[in-house]
Amino acid sequence: MVTSSTGSGLLPARSTRPGQPRLVLHLLAPLAGALSRAGTALLALAVPVECPGCGAVDVRLCRRCAADLVAPAVRVPVALAAPAWACAAYQGAASRCVVAWKDRGRLDLTPALGAALGRAVAAALLATTAGPLPAGAVLLVPVPSSAAARRGRGADVTAALARAAARELRHQGLHVRVRAVLQQQRRVADQAGLGAAARRGNLSGALGVRRARSSGLPGARVVLVDDVITTGATAAEACRALAEAGAVVAAVAAACWTPRRRHPGTCSPGTISSPWPSPADEGRVLD
Ligand SMILES: [Zn+2]
C-alpha cells in the first residue's frame, strides 16, 4: 500500500488529476518489464555467470553441485576437545565452490554453504545431546578472519556463513544465535611449511574473546563454526579461547572437511584419529 507524504490517503501527494498517474503507470508497466528483462540479459552478457563447481553456464550453482555441498553430515576424524562435524568433503566441486565463495567474490553462494554448515551443526547437536535439545539458545561462534582478510573480501565471510546457517536452523525449529566473540589477538606466521608442532606453537594464544562481547558467554553452550575443517589446529585454538572464557564448546561444525591424504587409513569419517596430523593446515583461517 502506498500512502501520500501528507498522510491524507492513497493517492499520490500533490496530484491535481488523480487518475492520470495511475493511467501513465499502467501504460508504462509493459515497457518497464521489457526494459528490466533486457537489462538482465545485458547484465548476463556483460557478467556471465557459471556454476563454480562444474563450469555450467548461466547458472549460479547447478543442482548437482548444490547436492554435493549439502551431503549428509559426518563426524570428522580430527582430535579436538569437542566432536567435529561437517558435510561435504573438501575436494572436487565442493572445494571449487568454497574457493569461488571465499576468494573470488561469489558471496551469492553463502546460503548454499550456510545450508551445509547448518546441517553439520544440527547433526552435531543431535549427536552430542542426550534427549531433547536444550531450551536455551545455542551460540554459533564463527572462527574469526584477520582484519586483512576481511578488508580483502569486503566482508567477514565466515560470520556471514554462520548467520546463513542460523537462519536454516531456526527454520527447523532450533534455537540458535550467532555470537562473533572471537578475534585474532596477534599476527601469526604463514602456516605453510610448518610441521604440526610448529603450527601449534604458531597458533598458540593467537585467538581470544572480545571483552565487549563476552557477556553471557560463561556457561553458554557453543558450537564453533567454520567453512572448512582441515587438521583442526585453528579450531583447537578457538576452542581453547572459548573455554578460557567459560563457554561450553559442545561441538565444532563446518560446511566442508578435508580428507587427509597422508593418512589414508584415517580418511573415513566417523572415527577419531591421532592428534595433530602433519598435512597442510587451515592457516587460511588466520589469513
Ligand atoms: Zn555445477
Side-chain angles (χ1 to χ4, degrees), residues 261-279:
R261 297 181 185 85
R262 290 173 62 182
H263 298 267
T266 62
C267 280
S268 298
T271 59
I272 297 295
S273 63
S274 59
W276 311 116
S278 58

Side-chain angles (χ1 to χ4, degrees), residues 1-206:
M1 179 180 294
V2 178
T3 58
S4 73
S5 59
T6 60
S8 58
L10 301 178
L11 296 177
R14 293 183 297 278
S15 173
T16 55
R17 301 175 62 184
Q20 191 174 35
R22 288 179 178 173
L23 177 62
V24 171
L25 287 174
H26 177 74
L27 293 173
L28 288 178
L31 178 60
L35 287 173
S36 176
R37 287 189 292 276
T40 301
L42 285 172
L43 189 62
L45 285 174
V47 187
V49 296
E50 66 176 32
C51 174
C54 65
V57 296
D58 292 338
V59 58
R60 293 197 168 275
L61 180 64
C62 78
R63 287 187 180 185
R64 194 169 71 175
C65 293
D68 282 353
L69 281 178
V70 192
V74 297
R75 178 86 179 266
V76 180
V78 290
L80 291 168
W85 289 78
C87 278
Y90 187 69
Q91 55 193 13
S95 65
R96 290 189 290 273
C97 286
V98 171
V99 170
W101 167 73
K102 200 166 187 177
D103 295 325
R104 296 178 186 166
R106 285 294 308 271
L107 299 183
D108 58 304
L109 298 171
T110 300
L113 288 164
L117 175 58
R119 180 175 283 206
V121 171
L125 289 175
L126 289 171
T128 56
T129 305
L133 290 173
V138 173
L139 304 183
L140 305 187
V141 176
V143 169
S145 297
S146 68
R150 289 196 300 274
R151 283 194 301 271
R153 295 168 184 144
D156 187 338
V157 296
T158 312
L161 186 70
R163 290 192 292 271
R167 283 192 290 273
E168 290 284 331
L169 292 163
R170 285 194 286 266
H171 285 155
Q172 298 171 26
L174 293 173
H175 190 193
V176 297
R177 284 189 290 137
V178 175
R179 289 282 301 276
V181 297
L182 290 173
Q183 66 179 353
Q184 190 172 337
Q185 304 266 70
R186 60 169 175 79
R187 294 177 65 86
V188 298
D190 188 345
Q191 296 274 76
L194 298 181
R199 288 167 188 269
R200 291 199 300 277
N202 188 36
L203 291 175
S204 178

